């Protein structure tokens, strides 16, 4: 989605609802991942690589029983 379109706000609302139900949940923001890995660019290939990295991280957390909202 476009910048400032409300993606993070919606994701945080989902996280809050899951937490209210007692679920272990982690929110992963693409912007936060980009701060950790600042070399990530914005062309098509770099965006795809970024999405793969977030997917791998989410998958690892899921295997430990954590719901992931990314």
């Amino acid at each position: 989605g476009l910048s400032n379109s409300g993606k993070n706000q919606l994701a945080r609302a989902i996280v809050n609802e899951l937490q209210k139900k007692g679920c272990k949940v982690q929110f992963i923001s693409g912007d936060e991942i980009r701060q950790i890995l600042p070399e990530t660019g914005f062309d098509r290939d770099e965006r795809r690589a970024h999405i793969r990295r977030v997917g791998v991280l989410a998958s690892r957390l899921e295997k430990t029983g954590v719901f992931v909202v990314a």
Side-chain angles (χ1 to χ4, degrees), residues 2 7 12 43 45 52-53:
L2 296 173
K7 298 181 300 291
R12 290 182 193 281
D43 68 27
D45 289 338
R52 279 193 302 274
R53 283 190 288 273

Side-chain angles (χ1 to χ4, degrees), residues 10-55:
L10 177 60
R12 290 182 193 281
I14 292 168
V15 167
N16 288 336
E17 289 301 314
L18 288 169
Q19 288 173 333
K20 285 179 188 175
K21 295 178 185 225
C23 298
K24 289 190 253 177
V25 61
Q26 179 65 52
F27 172 63
I28 300 176
S29 164
D31 293 335
E32 291 173 357
I33 298 297
R34 285 181 182 280
Q35 289 176 0
I36 296 167
L37 304 168
E39 69 280 356
T40 303
F42 289 92
D43 68 27
R44 178 174 277 189
D45 289 338
E46 290 170 329
R47 285 177 184 264
R48 286 181 179 162
H50 177 70
I51 291 167
R52 279 193 302 274
R53 283 190 288 273
V54 171

